[in-house]
Amino acid sequence: SRHESVRGERMAALWVLMPFLVLGDVYKYFNTSLDLGSYLARRVEMYSPMDAPLHEAPGNGRAYIQLELQFKRFPKHGNASLEIEGEIGIAAVASENLNIGLSNGKQQWYCCTKALSWLGVDRSCTVEKLNTVIIQNDPHWVQYGRIKFEAGQDTASSHKVNAHFPITRSGPHILVFSVCDPRLLDVDIKMSGTTVWMNPYGYLPATSYYFMPFYGMMAFLYGVLAIIWTALNCFRIKDIVNVQIYISCVIVLCLVENMVLYFDYSNFNHTGHRHDTILFLGAFISTARRTISRMLIMALSIGFAIVRADLGQNRSHILNYGALYFFISLIHQIFIDLAKVHTGIGDHFRTLLALPVAALDAGCYLFVFISLYHLISMLRVRQQAAKLEIYKSFTKVLLVSVICGGLASLYHMMITAQHRVLEHWKIWWFLDEGMWNMLFTAIFLSICFLFRPSQAAKRFAYSPVLDHNDENEAQEYGLPTIIDGSRPAVSPAKKS
């Protein structure tokens, strides 16, 4: 028949929208098209009431997918009639992957047709399932619903009984809208409204829930660190050197960053919406913190404020690196955050965005370790034991962080390459972001301890120890000398 031949052509042009780990749990549709032989799918990770880490408002211990949608149909041409019935299929699938359609190796079928049901090629396409999408997932974890157009009716609102899917199993859930009814061949179908994905504790998806307590805990930790650091600076105000002022700035950034992110996720959990303003503010502060932290480590690695008074020839290199890193990292962070809410950027694009950031990180570590090697060599020749001990400890901290970060990156890449991300959905928040935040915190706490205000701090502070012979020695060991003329013309100070 004409209907079935045209339908077959449309089946070949099937389109799919399957965002990966999308995080907007009140998801809006506006005049979204549904064509014959097509389906629209969206996946969100959910907790069942039995497995949820918390029961509180607005979820109040319930887990469900609620549809509040309106479907409209419009004639494609003047001869098209609305005086016919038609159905749109809805299915909620509790599975990591959507196994949809049939294939014989040469041809793909997505809807159950009369021809397929007569052939009996698969139990997922029988006479009872005629004109529905073929879903081959375990039927125990598939819930079906239908939206029906009555003859002459151009709109159909989703009925509560057909649009409420309770969650009884923890894991990824996929909501599927499909059009397989040949009676809808000559009409355009538009869908508008919202789908609400409610977990027992609120709107946050299962993959993002632990960000909320994590950032709350980190904000508390940095708050305590800020109090202790301020007290030490006040108590040892006469012993403060420049490096401790810069560390104070990083502590403030870390505290503000984690507070903003905590309130961002808390607001998301209670409202189901993530405001773009807060999202951009969080991305900006996070990027600023990472940039300044790297610049601080680079400055410390050349002995700034401890062995030398200023950055010397490296000032322009560090400032240019900071500007480039901030720009590229901010773009990367914004795209990743927007992907969680709006677009569902896939793994391959995320990897592409991460490559320049990873290259800049590698360059930073290369600069730091080369500088530390030359600096330690020079301090050893000068027999400045106190400063030497500090920089040897600093190097050990960075080496441990590189080893831990390298192992974590390899494990992350292995899981991603093997397409096993969804198997680890409960801890993916930690593998993808939480682990790196904890690693940074460990490094930063070590720096705070090594360069803390103390009675001995002045012994570690810069003193004009370089005379002409020492400048030659510095050049020999690869350290840029002070060239701006700020070196006082005095005899070498005592070694510390």
Side-chain angles (χ1 to χ4, degrees):
S1 67
R2 174 180 173 271
H3 280 252
E4 293 206 0
S5 63
V6 176
R7 184 182 179 194
E9 295 173 5
R10 299 208 174 199
M11 297 283 290
L14 175 107
W15 57 270
V16 183
L17 178 60
M18 177 76 78
F20 179 72
L21 299 178
V22 182
L23 301 189
D25 270 41
V26 175
Y27 193 80
K28 295 182 179 180
Y29 299 90
F30 181 73
N31 284 337
T32 302
S33 296
L34 288 171
D35 296 326
L36 184 64
S38 70
Y39 70 90
L40 177 70
R42 182 170 186 267
R43 177 174 59 218
V44 173
E45 283 64 34
M46 304 285 288
Y47 274 115
S48 71
M50 295 292 293
D51 299 332
L54 189 66
H55 288 190
E56 65 174 13
N60 296 314
R62 296 174 301 149
Y64 56 84
I65 304 172
Q66 179 72 39
L67 278 63
E68 299 171 4
L69 297 168
Q70 185 179 53
F71 295 85
K72 293 183 179 181
R73 57 178 178 171
F74 305 92
K76 289 185 177 180
H77 48 79
N79 297 329
S81 173
L82 298 178
E83 296 298 324
I84 54 173
E85 296 180 348
E87 291 184 346
I88 298 172
I90 304 175
V93 184
S95 176
E96 295 175 358
N97 297 295
L98 181 61
N99 188 3
I100 193 167
L102 292 173
S103 175
N104 62 2
K106 297 181 179 179
Q107 191 173 358
Q108 186 86 22
W109 297 275
Y110 299 99
C111 291
C112 181
T113 64
K114 287 183 179 179
L116 287 177
S117 63
W118 289 341
L119 289 173
V121 293
D122 194 274
R123 288 181 297 176
S124 57
C125 181
T126 61
V127 175
E128 293 78 14
K129 297 180 180 179
L130 192 63
N131 299 330
T132 63
V133 67
I134 300 172
I135 297 177
Q136 299 195 66
N137 295 79
D138 187 342
H140 293 95
W141 302 113
V142 182
Q143 303 178 62
Y144 291 96
R146 291 188 178 186
I147 300 298
K148 185 175 182 180
F149 286 104
E150 301 292 344
Q153 182 183 5
D154 63 348
T155 64
S157 298
S158 58
H159 302 288
K160 229 175 205 181
V161 65
N162 294 326
H164 184 94
F165 299 101
I167 303 300
T168 58
R169 176 188 181 185
S170 295
H173 283 70
I174 305 167
L175 184 63
V176 182
F177 300 96
S178 61
V179 181
C180 289
D181 192 335
R183 294 174 295 178
L184 299 176
L185 174 67
D186 296 321
V187 296
D188 287 321
I189 300 171
K190 302 291 185 181
M191 176 177 68
S192 299
T194 60
T195 57
V196 178
W197 305 67
M198 181 64 72
N199 273 294
Y201 48 78
Y203 292 101
L204 272 175
T207 47
S208 295
Y209 168 77
Y210 283 104
F211 280 125
M212 185 170 62
F214 174 76
Y215 285 121
M217 179 192 70
M218 295 300 290
F220 176 78
L221 174 63
Y222 281 111
V224 172
L225 177 61
I227 293 172
I228 295 174
W229 189 260
T230 302
L232 283 173
N233 278 272
C234 291
F235 186 67
R236 300 288 183 184
I237 193 167
K238 294 182 180 180
D239 300 321
I240 293 177
V241 294
N242 287 339
V243 67
Q244 288 149 6
I245 297 174
Y246 302 136
I247 290 175
S248 300
C249 295
V250 177
I251 292 176
V252 172
L253 277 174
C254 290
L255 177 60
V256 173
E257 174 195 9
N258 284 279
M259 289 176 63
V260 169
L261 291 173
Y262 170 75
F263 286 115
D264 179 23
Y265 281 99
S266 179
N267 177 73
F268 189 8
N269 187 53
H270 285 87
T271 65
H273 301 283
R274 198 173 185 186
H275 297 291
D276 287 345
T277 302
I278 301 178
L279 186 148
F280 283 114
L281 178 62
F284 183 87
I285 296 174
S286 295
T287 305
R289 186 264 304 169
R290 290 197 299 269
T291 303
I292 294 175
S293 300
R294 282 159 175 76
M295 292 173 68
L296 175 62
I297 291 175
M298 292 172 74
L300 288 174
S301 71
I302 63 173
F304 175 63
I306 305 297
V307 177
R308 57 190 305 159
D310 60 17
L311 299 176
Q313 294 174 326
N314 287 295
R315 178 177 179 177
S316 60
H317 300 318
I318 294 176
L319 290 177
N320 290 336
Y321 172 87
L324 182 62
Y325 183 88
F326 180 83
F327 177 73
I328 293 178
S329 183
L330 181 61
I331 294 175
H332 172 256
Q333 189 65 46
I334 288 174
F335 267 96
I336 295 304
D337 286 344
L338 287 176
K340 294 177 180 178
V341 182
H342 296 297
T343 60
I345 297 175
D347 270 356
H348 295 296
F349 191 58
R350 290 184 62 177
T351 302
L352 185 64
L353 287 171
L355 286 177
V357 179
L360 286 172
D361 280 333
C364 175
Y365 272 109
L366 183 63
F367 177 92
V368 166
F369 283 115
I370 291 175
S371 299
L372 282 172
Y373 171 77
H374 293 310
L375 180 62
I376 289 173
S377 298
M378 189 181 71
L379 292 174
R380 186 177 288 116
V381 168
R382 291 179 180 171
Q383 298 181 354
Q384 293 180 297
K387 294 178 181 179
L388 178 62
E389 200 58 38
I390 282 205
Y391 279 101
K392 286 172 68 177
S393 299
F394 183 46
T395 304
K396 290 176 183 176
V397 168
L398 294 180
L399 281 172
V400 171
S401 72
V402 169
I403 294 171
C404 293
L407 293 175
S409 296
L410 288 174
Y411 184 65
H412 188 283
M413 288 189 293
M414 181 185 70
I415 291 176
T416 304
Q418 295 176 353
H419 303 288
R420 293 168 52 202
V421 172
L422 291 177
E423 295 178 17
H424 299 79
W425 63 270
K426 284 188 178 181
I427 61 169
W428 191 248
W429 71 273
F430 178 76
L431 296 176
D432 204 34
E433 291 187 36
M435 173 176 56
W436 302 106
N437 280 280
M438 293 183 68
L439 183 59
F440 167 81
T441 301
I443 298 170
F444 186 59
L445 288 175
S446 300
I447 292 174
C448 291
F449 178 78
L450 289 173
F451 298 96
R452 69 192 183 280
S454 66
Q455 195 170 16
K458 284 293 184 182
R459 291 197 303 144
F460 305 142
Y462 166 76
S463 58
V465 296
L466 291 177
D467 60 12
H468 293 292
N469 293 330
D470 289 331
E471 286 187 5
N472 294 333
E473 184 182 271
Q475 291 175 350
E476 178 184 348
Y477 285 93
L479 277 175
T481 56
I482 301 173
I483 62 173
D484 59 0
S486 63
R487 178 176 55 83
V490 296
S491 299
K494 66 177 180 180
K495 296 176 181 177
S496 57

